[in-house]
Amino acid sequence: MGLSVPVSIPVSGAALRAGALEVVVLGGRLLMYPTGVCQEKAGAGPPAARSSATRPPALLLHGFTDNRSVFVLLRRTLGAGGGRHVEAYNYSPFTRDLRVTARHLARRVEELCARTGQEQVDLVGHSLGGLVARYYVQRLGGDARVRTLVTLGTPHSGTLVAPFMDAHPLVRQMRPDSEVLAELAAPAPGCATRCVAFWSEFDTLMSPVGTARIEHPDLRVENVQVTGIGHLALPAHPTVIAAVRRALDGPAPVSAGSSQATSVA
């Protein structure tokens, strides 16, 4: 769910502004896309930087058809001051099953922990990237390694947008009746990861729009509503970026089975 033009926008001033911003962000994405095609070289940085990191490293996962270039601004903000090591993970554009990508993610997380000397990481996933990360956390034991999972415009309950794309297996896995979403809806007792899900009423790739919220009785969840921002802008908008950093810097206590709701304007 990356480089896509919004398919429909309600007629209102806020919606028109959100749609215009989506167009601007899409243009920037197209320009930046070549810079993120290659997988970045893994490295924990110089010893001084490694020893000064006081927070778990953050690993960023892009959405469908995208790459790590979408996180240029978010990465810079999260890594400011040297208190957090930040990397972006490119999964294969030929991926046909997000569960396979989740297993690759598990290996990458173990390798990241070994390199940085940290026991846990934080994950931030945009769109499909959020589902990959959640599958790892819930179904592959990733909650032992993931302190906080932040998702941005992720179809946690499935999306009905673009039925003409059902030929792609990844798109089918993001449908409400998919096997993957049934697995994620299954019980997950004792899941230790804190989840923060950002969703927007102007996210035209989420249908119904509330599907980007996490609704699960066993998870520790905070759903954050974003106002006036569309799907593509979620990982790039300064307001959302600041809120993501706050979520990772100072996680509020959330008990298992609870679902807090907040908003970001």
Side-chain angles (χ1 to χ4, degrees):
M1 289 202 169
L3 302 178
S4 301
V5 178
V7 295
S8 64
I9 298 176
V11 179
S12 73
L16 290 174
R17 287 191 295 272
L21 179 60
E22 289 287 271
V23 173
V24 172
V25 172
L26 176 60
R29 290 275 186 92
L30 294 174
L31 289 175
M32 293 295 296
Y33 193 90
T35 68
V37 170
C38 296
Q39 188 73 268
E40 68 177 277
K41 294 182 179 180
R50 175 175 172 171
S51 62
S52 67
T54 57
R55 300 184 178 92
L59 188 60
L60 316 179
L61 289 87
H62 61 80
F64 181 54
T65 76
D66 256 330
N67 61 39
R68 62 188 175 88
S69 64
V70 305
F71 294 122
V72 170
L73 298 178
L74 177 60
R75 181 174 184 165
R76 184 182 305 162
T77 298
L78 293 182
R84 176 187 288 111
H85 180 75
V86 185
E87 294 184 3
Y89 175 50
N90 268 10
Y91 51 87
S92 171
F94 302 108
T95 296
R96 298 176 60 83
D97 190 334
L98 70 82
R99 292 167 291 195
V100 173
T101 302
R103 290 193 284 271
H104 293 323
L105 173 63
R107 292 193 288 270
R108 178 61 181 267
V109 168
E110 291 298 321
E111 186 264 341
L112 178 58
C113 287
R115 277 192 290 110
T116 59
Q118 298 277 1
E119 292 296 320
Q120 289 189 306
V121 304
D122 291 329
L123 297 180
V124 180
H126 178 231
S127 197
L128 175 63
L131 274 187
V132 171
R134 184 179 165 193
Y135 193 91
Y136 162 57
V137 165
Q138 265 187 253
R139 305 296 296 178
L140 302 178
D143 63 313
R145 283 295 194 191
V146 180
R147 183 190 67 155
T148 301
L149 165 63
V150 174
T151 65
L152 307 170
T154 291
H156 291 289
S157 299
T159 180
L160 299 172
V161 165
F164 58 87
M165 292 187 66
D166 277 353
H168 198 294
L170 278 182
V171 174
R172 293 198 299 271
Q173 289 184 330
M174 289 186 280
R175 296 306 189 203
D177 59 351
S178 76
E179 182 179 307
V180 167
L181 292 185
E183 290 183 58
L184 291 178
C191 185
T193 298
R194 171 177 174 258
C195 301
V196 183
F198 287 80
W199 67 282
S200 171
E201 75 273 33
F202 295 129
D203 187 337
T204 58
L205 294 185
M206 298 297 106
S207 176
V209 68
T211 190
R213 298 192 298 260
I214 297 177
E215 307 289 351
H216 195 295
D218 295 331
L219 300 184
R220 302 162 56 212
V221 178
E222 179 183 356
N223 288 305
V224 182
Q225 181 176 1
V226 177
T227 301
I229 299 173
H231 187 79
L232 298 181
L234 282 169
H237 196 282
T239 301
V240 178
I241 289 175
V244 171
R245 180 170 182 174
R246 288 195 299 271
L248 298 185
D249 284 355
V254 182
S255 59
S258 66
S259 179
Q260 296 183 356
T262 57
S263 62
V264 174

